[in-house]
Each structure stands twice: as structure tokens, then as C-alpha cells.
Amino acid sequence: MAGIGISFGNTSAFVSICKDSSRAEIIANSAGERPTSTTVGHQEGEILTGTPALQLQIRQPANTVHNLKSLLGKQLADSENSQVCRLEEHNGEIIVNFNNVSRKGVSALAKSVFDNLKETADSVEGDLTKLTEVLRSFIAKHPDREITQVVLSGGCCKVSKLQSHVSNIFPGAKILSTAPDEVVSMGAAQHAALIAQYPDMKRKTELESNGTVAIPVTPRAISVHVEGGGVTVLVPKHTPLPF
């Protein structure tokens, strides 16, 4: 059973599929692009996502919202507003006012992006022939990884200075840094495939298969502001789940 992984970033989202719990491949969207923009737009009563939303942002910036992830789960007073569109608040949720024509909550807009990603995943999962060709191409380009290899994750890993630094730390190791911002969704697809293959392991913090170990962790530190402007870390970054 194939596993589907999704990463939802500040500017782009990616969908990956993992068929055998060890190798994952990024899925191109309906426009043939690997990244899907998380910009969302509103035009003539229709919600636009991906490339159409980006194109609308150029022509009608007041009818689009970008960096949607930074608005989720926040109140208007806590968000950094760099939007051209008007932001409002209702029942503790940020609402996007599209040029006084339509108002949508950021959670509903995020759902529109995820629906787009789901369509991408469903279109590929339903075509096993094309999926097999993609996986064979991926395997041919990326043979089985050795410990002698280092996978960099995160967009900042594109910086050549950082890659050089990692090479110095791991002399002789192959640095895998092609499209590092795609690694998150690929790892999520591998994790999903493992859970699908071993449903009884769903609640465990470690999943092992073919030498791969997947450990769910907190992506960021969980902190609280204290009196005097200081910050107290309650849960450090990368703490294994559950606590």
C-alpha cells in the first residue's frame, strides 16, 4: 500500500508518494510543477490555488493572500501583517477580506490548498502504470543510500556555504541536497507507508523497516512568554512524541 506525504510550507507545498516504504518521489501537480504555491486567491466567486493564484496576485494583489501558514491558528494581533488584502478576525480566527466581495477564514483557505494537493495525489495513485515509471526513474537516479550519504532538509540547505560545511564534517560522504525543501514531504510519505504497512505500530514512536527509522518529533520548540519579556522553553525542539 502506498503512502502519501504532504508538506505545507510558507510559500510552497509538496506531495510525495512512497510505494515500498523505502523510496519516495515528489508528485507533480496538474500544471506539471513539483511545488504548489500556497498563495490563495478569489476571483468571480471562485477560490484559486497554485499557479492561477500566483498569476492573480500580480494583477489583483488585494484579492490574494500569501504566507497562509503564518496566519493559521493565530489571532490578528499576533500575526505579522504583510498582506495587501484586508485581514479581519471572527471568533478567534483570522478572516481574509477579498476586496469587500468575499470573506473566508484562513483554515478554509488552507483546506482549499490541501484539496488541491489531494487531487494531485489521487490522480497519481490511480494511475499505477505511470507511478511505476516514475519510481523506476527515481530508483535509477537514486540507488540504495549508504550511511556514507547525508540528506539535507530545509530550504536553507541550498546555501553553498552550508553544504561545504557539512562536507567538511562528513569527509567523503555524498551530500544529497537536490531540492532539499522537498525532503519533508518525501519523509512524510515514507512514514505514511510504514504506518499503512504496519497498522499496529501506529502509536509507537519508532517505526523500523529496511534500516529506516521514523521518529515523530515536535518541529519547533514550544515556549511561553514570561514577565519581563523573557521566554521559557517548555518543550525543546525535536522532542520525540508523545511527550
Side-chain angles (χ1 to χ4, degrees), residues 224-232:
V224 294
H225 285 279
V226 296
E227 188 176 357
V231 175
T232 298

Side-chain angles (χ1 to χ4, degrees), residues 26 53 58 82 85 98 105 118 132 161 176 182 187 201 230 232 235:
I26 296 290
I58 298 174
S82 61
C85 61
F98 292 108
K118 183 179 182 300
T132 300
K161 182 67 175 179
L176 302 179
E182 299 176 353
M201 303 178 72
T232 298
V235 180

Side-chain angles (χ1 to χ4, degrees), residues 169-229:
I169 296 176
F170 301 99
K174 182 178 180 181
I175 308 299
L176 302 179
S177 58
T178 301
D181 46 357
E182 299 176 353
V183 172
V184 176
S185 66
M186 294 173 69
Q190 289 180 318
H191 199 162
L194 287 172
I195 292 176
Q197 187 174 356
Y198 303 104
D200 59 323
M201 303 178 72
K202 186 175 182 180
R203 299 294 300 174
K204 292 187 177 181
T205 58
E206 286 195 0
L207 303 174
E208 297 187 24
S209 176
N210 298 328
T212 300
V213 179
I215 305 177
V217 297
T218 57
R220 294 182 176 85
I222 301 176
S223 310
V224 294
H225 285 279
V226 296
E227 188 176 357

